[in-house]
Amino acid sequence: MNKKLVSTNVVEYMVNKFAALGLLVFLMCSYLLLATKFDLYEFTENLSNLKIWGLICGYALVTTMLIDLIENKWIAFTFQTSVLLHCLAGFIVFFPFMGINFFSVIAGAVGALCAFIYAFSSYLFHRKKKFAWVILLVFPLLLSVRLYDFTSKKDWTIKETNSSFSAEFEYFNGKHEILLPLKKGEKVTSYLSFTQLNEGGYGYHILDHNKEYVGMKELAESEEEGTQAIQFHAIQSGVYKIIVTGDDLKGKIDVNWEID
């Protein structure tokens, strides 16, 4: 067979698979937007979990390629059989991790639906090749969106020292980073207090210089009521971040820390 023809077929095959994946990701992101009530900060935070998205996309690509390999090398499938195998793969993937229970069955049903959308999209783009190239734009679009910080703050007033941070606000939806340059082995004890003046939510976490979550130890509450004490160690030297988050929150945040 002509090498150029083989190369063209391979490119068309990969474009088809990635386009089908792009449409599936687009539909999943549309659902996320609806589920978060168009909260763009929460939406981009969900997009930023690249490990989860990588597992979803990787599993979809590997599974569909294996099914196509079996079909081309050994058994000729009908379209209906191919779709059924995709759905089966989407259904059973959760059982090894979650066991067989109500929640894994629900997750499997969602997985099967996603697999059906993927298989049908691949069939659609095989017939409408020009649309496949357009759908590929989903990936760079989502990558660019997730880089933008949609944090919203109103009447945000802060006070900072070398060992404390305080903010009062009428509205806070998103995140605020408190930077801590640390040396390897240093221990940080931090005291966080959230004053909640409405029904908004709040939270916090620690990231290291590689943007990885840092394990922290929750200590008993301090003498000041409502103050949470946490402790963590710097495994390597670098700039660590205490990140406080708000979900349509009105009130005040106080953070104090000691470095040993």
Side-chain angles (χ1 to χ4, degrees):
M1 184 179 291
N2 186 284
K3 290 183 178 180
K4 185 176 181 180
L5 180 60
V6 171
S7 177
T8 301
N9 289 339
V10 170
V11 170
E12 287 184 353
Y13 177 81
M14 295 308 299
V15 167
N16 176 277
K17 296 304 178 183
F18 277 100
L21 189 60
L23 183 57
L24 174 61
V25 170
F26 175 77
L27 293 175
M28 293 174 72
C29 288
S30 298
Y31 170 78
L32 282 176
L33 271 176
L34 292 173
T36 58
K37 298 179 180 179
F38 294 92
D39 185 330
L40 293 177
Y41 168 74
E42 188 176 350
F43 172 68
T44 52
E45 284 296 291
N46 288 324
L47 279 184
S48 297
N49 195 335
L50 296 182
K51 289 183 179 179
I52 295 297
W53 287 102
L55 286 172
I56 293 173
C57 294
Y59 182 73
L61 288 172
V62 169
T63 299
T64 193
M65 288 180 180
L66 285 175
I67 292 173
D68 288 346
L69 179 64
I70 293 171
E71 180 182 5
N72 290 324
K73 292 292 185 180
W74 294 289
I75 305 172
F77 298 142
T78 63
F79 171 69
Q80 291 82 355
T81 302
S82 178
V83 171
L84 181 62
L85 289 173
H86 279 83
C87 292
L88 180 62
F91 183 76
I92 65 174
V93 65
F94 298 96
F95 295 140
F97 307 101
M98 302 173 62
I100 301 177
N101 52 58
F102 175 77
F103 297 103
S104 61
V105 171
I106 295 298
V110 174
L113 175 61
C114 292
F116 172 81
I117 294 172
Y118 182 82
F120 185 80
S121 300
S122 179
Y123 172 76
L124 175 66
F125 292 131
H126 181 71
R127 297 173 64 88
K128 304 289 184 180
K129 294 182 173 63
K130 292 182 179 179
F131 289 106
W133 291 96
V134 176
I135 296 298
L136 286 178
L137 295 175
V138 167
F139 294 108
L141 177 62
L142 292 177
L143 287 173
S144 61
V145 168
R146 64 175 287 274
L147 295 177
Y148 187 82
D149 184 3
F150 287 96
T151 293
S152 178
K153 302 172 181 176
K154 293 181 181 178
D155 296 329
W156 179 267
T157 304
I158 66 172
K159 296 179 181 178
E160 292 181 286
T161 70
N162 291 332
S163 60
S164 68
F165 167 85
S166 177
E168 292 187 62
F169 44 86
E170 285 295 311
Y171 181 81
F172 175 37
N173 187 72
K175 65 181 179 181
H176 183 82
E177 299 178 346
I178 303 168
L179 306 182
L180 297 181
L182 299 175
K183 296 179 180 178
K184 181 179 179 179
E186 287 187 321
K187 178 177 68 176
V188 179
T189 304
S190 182
Y191 305 89
L192 301 97
S193 175
F194 293 84
T195 302
Q196 186 181 15
L197 299 181
N198 64 357
E199 296 181 353
Y202 57 84
Y204 59 87
H205 56 273
I206 315 294
L207 295 182
D208 63 16
H209 60 290
N210 292 319
K211 298 183 179 180
E212 297 287 341
Y213 285 97
V214 174
M216 54 187 175
K217 177 183 179 182
E218 292 191 358
L219 307 177
E221 287 194 352
S222 68
E223 296 179 358
E224 186 177 347
E225 185 179 354
T227 298
Q228 179 64 57
I230 61 171
Q231 195 174 82
F232 68 94
H233 290 79
I235 304 301
Q236 295 181 345
S237 298
V239 177
Y240 287 67
K241 298 176 182 178
I242 299 177
I243 298 180
V244 290
T245 61
D247 183 6
D248 298 331
L249 180 66
K250 174 184 178 181
K252 183 180 180 181
I253 297 173
D254 290 292
V255 183
N256 298 276
W257 58 88
E258 302 168 356
I259 302 176
D260 300 317

